[in-house]
Amino acid sequence: MAKVQHIRKLDPQATAGYLNILGIAGSMRKNSYSTMALKSVLKTASESYGAQVQLLDLSQTPLPIYDPTLSAAQDSKLEAASKLVRWADAFILASPDYHGSMSGVMKNFLDHFWEEFSGKTFGYIVASHEKGLTVMDQMRTAVRQCYGWSVPYGISTNGEQDYDSNGELRNSRLAKRINMLARDLTVYGKIIRDQFKLDLAGDEQNTFAAHFRQ
């Protein structure tokens, strides 16, 4: 599977028209199916729809257990994650289905960040033998509490049914779903981001963004 292109530095003026999408891989398993699907969506969003993409793999960048007294400056991995979260305009959360819930590392990630999610758009991926609907619902609930916007559907992948022994996608329906999420997150994410910024800069009080003005 082709690697996702990671961005090191961005010129805000040069990339003003782009959408920055951060994928969060919430599995600790090597060759995780949820992470495979996540990388496919990021790759498609970048190559087909012009998004700028990065991947935060929580198995490679484990965050400390959330402690409200710990600042990002006190932990190098938390600081790196914080920079990525601030960079992102939109997110894709990818988790395995553990007893009908998201993984512990994904919940811990969501515990660390909340203000940074306001006005941003989220998509969801779950690796599950049972569609992962409760997992997506729980991630959506957390995002809603943080005032983020959610794409109204998600991607569910069922491991060996969707991928061959080499990790190549063989389910054409899932491939279409991956393309749809990449397209919709890029298109709607950009619309929401741009309107949210306009509302923040304006003086209209009858708008959601008014609550976040400095």
Side-chain angles (χ1 to χ4, degrees), residues 19 21 49 181-192:
L19 187 79
I21 301 177
Y49 300 105
L181 180 59
R183 184 267 181 197
D184 285 350
L185 188 64
T186 302
V187 172
Y188 291 104
K190 191 179 297 183
I191 292 170
I192 290 171

Side-chain angles (χ1 to χ4, degrees), residues 188-199:
Y188 291 104
K190 191 179 297 183
I191 292 170
I192 290 171
R193 177 202 62 189
D194 292 348
Q195 187 61 53
F196 190 72
K197 286 183 176 181
L198 285 173
D199 289 345

Side-chain angles (χ1 to χ4, degrees), residues 124-145:
Y124 305 94
I125 297 171
V126 176
S128 175
H129 297 295
E130 298 181 350
K131 297 184 179 180
L133 296 179
T134 58
V135 184
M136 289 185 205
D137 284 345
Q138 289 174 9
M139 291 192 290
R140 275 196 192 91
T141 297
V143 167
R144 185 177 68 242
Q145 291 295 108

Side-chain angles (χ1 to χ4, degrees), residues 24 34 37-38 41 91-95 102 106 110 117 120-127 131-157 174 177-178 181-182 185:
I24 309 298
S34 61
L38 172 60
V41 176
F91 297 83
I92 305 172
L93 306 183
S95 174
M102 72 185 87
M106 179 62 75
L110 294 172
F117 296 159
K120 297 182 179 181
T121 310
F122 286 73
Y124 305 94
I125 297 171
V126 176
K131 297 184 179 180
L133 296 179
T134 58
V135 184
M136 289 185 205
D137 284 345
Q138 289 174 9
M139 291 192 290
R140 275 196 192 91
T141 297
V143 167
R144 185 177 68 242
Q145 291 295 108
C146 299
Y147 303 104
W149 302 82
S150 288
V151 172
Y153 63 88
I155 289 176
S156 176
T157 177
L174 179 58
R177 195 79 163 179
I178 283 171
L181 180 59
L185 188 64

